[in-house]
Amino acid sequence: MEISDLVQPHTVFADVKATSKKQALQELARRAANITGCAERDILDVLIERERLGTTGIGKGIAIPHGKLPGIDRVYGIFAKLSAGVDYDAMDNMPVDLLFLLLAPESAGADHLKALARVSRTLRDKERCEKLRGTHDADALYAILTEETAKPEV
């Protein structure tokens, strides 16, 4: 599974305005509703319920909010770069400015986990995150996210 399997250019957003974790999740839910056709409230409820289990703020300014949602047939990814970091109760207590939302069907077992692992690997790349933070253009964000690390030719 590649990042390009999860996000498309229209699901990547630059300079999203939010002043709190709740507001960031609300904004992601609003955008996800337009993309998935699911109710914004249902998406937000899933995200808030997941946060109650423990923060999805993994550190270094990154959060991967996620959940399983009835009514969708595939894994959806939505990436948002906030215009300013917000207090997210992250593991390292640092503000979060890069969010990668994953929504999976209730029946998605391994696919959901594979998507989480792929997003986590992608955003652990310090250089990639620096590039993401250095741009304010959604198309550029998409290109950086989906750029695969060069593999040596044999």
Side-chain angles (χ1 to χ4, degrees):
M1 179 174 293
E2 300 298 335
I3 290 295
S4 57
D5 297 328
L6 301 171
V7 292
Q8 273 69 64
H10 72 280
T11 66
V12 174
F13 302 96
D15 293 328
V16 174
K17 308 271 188 279
T19 57
S20 66
K21 176 180 183 174
K22 182 178 181 185
Q23 199 175 60
L25 292 174
Q26 287 171 327
E27 189 58 31
L28 284 172
R30 185 181 69 75
R31 292 170 191 243
N34 290 332
I35 292 162
T36 64
C38 293
E40 180 179 336
R41 184 77 233 177
D42 293 344
I43 296 168
L44 185 58
D45 288 346
V46 164
L47 297 178
I48 289 171
E49 190 58 37
R50 172 57 189 84
E51 291 297 325
R52 284 192 185 120
L53 299 174
T55 185
T56 58
I58 61 171
K60 298 184 179 163
I62 300 161
I64 309 174
H66 58 277
K68 293 187 177 180
L69 195 64
I72 60 173
D73 59 357
R74 66 177 183 84
V75 178
Y76 284 88
I78 296 168
F79 179 81
K81 176 183 174 275
L82 300 182
S83 53
V86 298
D87 180 6
Y88 200 91
D89 302 319
M91 292 178 186
D92 62 359
N93 292 317
M94 297 296 293
V96 164
D97 63 341
L98 302 177
L99 293 102
F100 201 117
L101 169 66
L102 284 172
L103 294 171
E106 286 184 314
S107 60
D111 284 348
H112 181 67
L113 295 175
K114 284 179 191 171
L116 272 170
R118 185 69 183 111
V119 169
S120 179
R121 272 194 313 275
T122 300
L123 294 179
R124 266 196 310 240
D125 180 339
K126 186 178 175 188
E127 188 177 310
R128 186 184 311 252
C129 288
E130 286 173 7
K131 287 181 186 176
L132 290 169
R133 289 185 172 106
T135 188
H136 300 283
D137 177 76
D139 290 334
L141 290 172
Y142 177 77
I144 295 164
L145 279 171
T146 57
E147 171 185 89
E148 294 306 317
T149 51
K151 295 176 182 115
E153 304 241 351
V154 179

